[in-house]
Amino acid sequence: MAAVVVREYDANKDSRAVEEVENRCEVGPSGKLSLHTDLLGDPICRVRNSPAFLMLVAETAASGEEEGEIVGMIRGCIKTVTCGTKLSRNGKNGSNKPPEQLAVCTKLAYILGLRVSPSHRRMGIGLKLVRKMEEWFRENGAEYSYMATEKDNEASVQLFTQKCGYSKFRSPAILVQPVFAHRFKLSKRISIIKLTSADAEALYRRYSSTTEFFPRDIDSILNNKLNLGTFLAVPARSTYSKWWPGAAAFLLDPPESWAVLSVWNCKDVFTLEVRGASRLRLALAKATRIADRVFPWLRLPSIPQVFRPFGFHFLYGLGGEGPNSAQYMRALCGLAHNMAQERGCGVVATEVASREPLRLGIPHWKSLSCAEDLWCIKRFGEDYSDGAVGDWTKSPPGLSIFVDPREF
C-alpha cells in the first residue's frame, strides 16, 4: 500500500476529490437501506458553524508522475457544553434562598463525517485520521471527545471502542416524520408564539442550561441564518397568548403546561437520499402518492419522494413542563411539519434522549427512525474545569439531552 499522509483540507484543490469519496460511501449497515449525503459543494459545511472546527483528509503519497489520491476524510469541532450540575451554596452572603442547580461545563470535541474510500478500508486509515484529529483536540484544550454512529455499525464501533479508547455513553433516538402533502391542522386550544432570538436565548439559558450537552454559545445558534425560529406553545386562553411579557417573566409564572422547540434548516446545508430500496418498496411508496393525489379528501399519509435527493428540517431545544406538555409538543411538531412542507422538505427529524418524557408527543415513522443511535465518549485528561462532576464518562444518563443542530 502506498504511504498515506493526513493533512488539513484545502478547499481550493480538495473539494471535488472529497465529494467523490463521499459519493462512494454510504451511511448505514450493509444489506439495509442506506443514506447518501450530498454536501451541496461545501465539504466542510457541517462543522463550519461551530466555534472551532477542522477538516482533515488522508491522501496517498505521490509517486513519479502520479498525483496523490484522497482516500479518506474526517471533520471535528470544539465547543463548551454542560456536563453536569452542582448545588449552589445555601445562605451565601446572608441569603436564605434554597440551593439551586448550577451548570458545570467542559470543553467538548465532536468527531463526525469519518469516511474512508471502500478500496482503502482495513488499512488503518480511519485510525490514523482519528488520532490526528485528537491531536488537534488536545492542542486546543478539549477535555472530552465524542462521536455518534449507528448501533449496528460494527466497524465504526470497534474502531472507536477497541482501538481509540472510547466508551459507549448514550443511546438517544432519532425520530423522523415524513412531510405529507396535507398540512397539519393546529388545535385552536393551543397558541403558538414565535420568540425573538433574545427571548429564545433567555428561555433556554434559564430552562435548559443544566441539560446535558447544552452549548454555552446558544446565542450563536439562535442567531445563525440557518435557524428558522424558536416557537413556544401555551394554552390559547392563557394571558401569554394575548400579551408576551418576555422569557424571564414567563418562567417566573408559566402556565400549567407549555412546550418549546427551535427549527434548523438543514436543507440549505446538505441533502439526503435513501438508497437500496427494492422495486417492490419503491412501487408501494409511489402507489401511496398516487392514491393521495386521486383522493386528497381522504388525507392519506403518503410517503414522500425520499429515494431522490431531499432536504429536511431538524428540531432541537425541545422542552416543556406540565401534564399536557406532550400534547403541546405535538402541536409544535405540526407547525414544524407545515414549515417544512412550504420549503419543499422531505422529512422533519429530531434526536432525543431515550427517556425523554416529551417523546410521546413527537410524531414519527418507526421505519424511518432510529430507536437507538450510539454516542461514544473519551476522556483526554485528569484536569477538570470543576471537580464537582468527576469523570463524565461514568455518569448516568439524565432524562434529556440538548442536541446541537450544527452537528446533526
Side-chain angles (χ1 to χ4, degrees):
M1 183 188 80
V4 174
V5 177
V6 175
R7 59 171 175 81
E8 188 170 345
Y9 166 77
D10 185 341
N12 293 323
K13 66 176 183 178
D14 296 335
S15 59
R16 183 179 295 275
V18 166
E19 184 178 358
E20 291 176 356
V21 175
E22 290 274 7
N23 287 336
R24 292 196 294 268
C25 296
E26 305 293 345
V27 180
S30 178
K32 297 183 180 180
L33 292 177
S34 60
L35 282 176
H36 169 72
T37 305
D38 183 353
L39 299 177
L40 303 180
D42 185 5
I44 204 169
C45 63
R46 291 189 67 185
V47 291
R48 187 182 298 281
N49 292 298
S50 298
F53 60 89
L54 179 69
M55 180 172 176
L56 301 173
V57 296
E59 183 179 38
T60 58
S63 59
E65 297 181 355
E66 294 184 4
E67 296 182 355
E69 176 189 3
I70 292 180
V71 295
M73 75 281 295
I74 191 171
R75 302 169 182 86
C77 55
I78 303 173
K79 62 183 178 181
T80 299
V81 304
T82 298
C83 63
T85 59
K86 65 178 180 180
L87 292 176
S88 64
R89 292 183 180 180
N90 187 20
K92 187 176 179 180
N93 297 326
S95 172
N96 292 320
K97 294 181 179 180
E100 60 178 337
Q101 292 285 336
L102 300 178
V104 177
C105 297
T106 189
K107 205 167 186 180
L108 175 69
Y110 179 54
I111 290 176
L112 74 162
L114 174 60
R115 302 281 189 271
V116 177
S117 179
S119 60
H120 287 76
R121 291 174 182 170
R122 297 181 178 85
M123 298 179 182
I125 295 174
L127 178 60
K128 197 169 185 176
L129 284 164
V130 172
R131 286 178 173 169
K132 192 67 175 179
M133 182 61 74
E134 287 183 343
E135 286 182 18
W136 180 73
F137 290 162
R138 289 188 176 94
E139 290 170 358
N140 286 273
E143 298 177 77
Y144 295 92
S145 172
Y146 84 109
M147 52 76 67
T149 187
E150 296 88 2
K151 186 178 181 181
D152 50 2
N153 187 338
E154 296 182 3
S156 179
V157 174
Q158 289 180 4
L159 169 64
F160 282 93
T161 60
Q162 297 182 16
K163 297 182 180 180
C164 298
Y166 287 69
S167 57
K168 297 179 180 180
F169 189 55
R170 300 289 183 259
S171 298
I174 299 175
L175 307 179
V176 180
Q177 174 75 351
V179 175
F180 304 122
H182 309 287
R183 292 177 62 82
F184 181 89
K185 188 175 181 180
L186 300 177
S187 172
K188 294 182 179 180
R189 294 179 295 177
I190 299 174
S191 290
I192 297 179
I193 304 166
K194 183 176 183 180
L195 303 181
T196 64
S197 58
D199 266 330
E201 179 186 353
L203 188 149
Y204 279 131
R205 288 199 186 280
R206 287 175 176 266
Y207 175 75
S208 301
S209 63
T210 56
T211 301
E212 196 173 43
F213 288 94
F214 178 78
R216 191 165 66 181
D217 66 330
I218 184 64
D219 54 321
S220 296
I221 300 174
L222 296 170
N223 287 296
N224 192 287
K225 64 180 181 180
L226 296 174
N227 189 65
L228 299 179
T230 299
F231 303 91
L232 178 71
V234 297
R237 295 183 178 180
S238 69
T239 303
Y240 301 115
S241 66
K242 302 174 183 177
W243 176 72
W244 177 245
F250 170 81
L251 289 174
L252 287 175
D253 185 25
E256 182 183 28
S257 295
W258 61 275
V260 65
L261 61 72
S262 296
V263 183
W264 186 263
N265 181 18
C266 293
K267 184 174 183 287
D268 287 352
V269 181
F270 61 95
T271 61
L272 298 174
E273 179 181 354
V274 177
R275 293 182 175 178
S278 65
R279 291 185 177 180
L280 176 60
R281 182 171 294 190
L282 291 171
L284 289 174
K286 185 176 181 179
T288 65
R289 294 191 294 274
I290 293 174
D292 191 25
R293 286 196 298 269
V294 175
F295 308 107
W297 60 87
L298 294 178
R299 302 179 66 85
L300 299 174
S302 58
I303 299 174
Q305 183 54 277
V306 296
F307 305 108
R308 296 176 183 173
F310 65 91
F312 71 100
H313 287 172
F314 182 73
L315 312 183
Y316 71 98
L318 282 68
E321 291 181 345
N324 298 320
S325 56
Q327 177 184 345
Y328 285 61
M329 179 56 62
R330 180 173 292 276
L332 290 174
C333 290
L335 174 71
H337 170 277
N338 294 345
M339 290 175 59
Q341 183 197 62
E342 293 169 1
R343 292 173 175 266
C345 292
V347 303
V348 174
T350 191
E351 188 165 14
V352 297
S354 58
R355 299 192 298 159
E356 172 60 62
L358 294 173
R359 184 172 175 174
L360 294 174
I362 304 173
H364 61 280
W365 276 21
K366 186 176 180 180
S367 58
L368 297 176
S369 302
C370 174
E372 289 189 35
D373 196 22
L374 177 63
W375 290 10
C376 298
I377 197 168
K378 178 178 181 177
R379 179 187 183 189
F380 283 138
E382 301 296 328
D383 296 330
Y384 282 84
S385 56
D386 194 298
V389 174
D391 188 350
W392 188 23
T393 67
K394 298 177 182 178
S395 65
L399 291 178
S400 303
I401 56 173
F402 196 101
V403 181
D404 194 325
R406 298 171 296 188
E407 299 169 5
F408 187 80

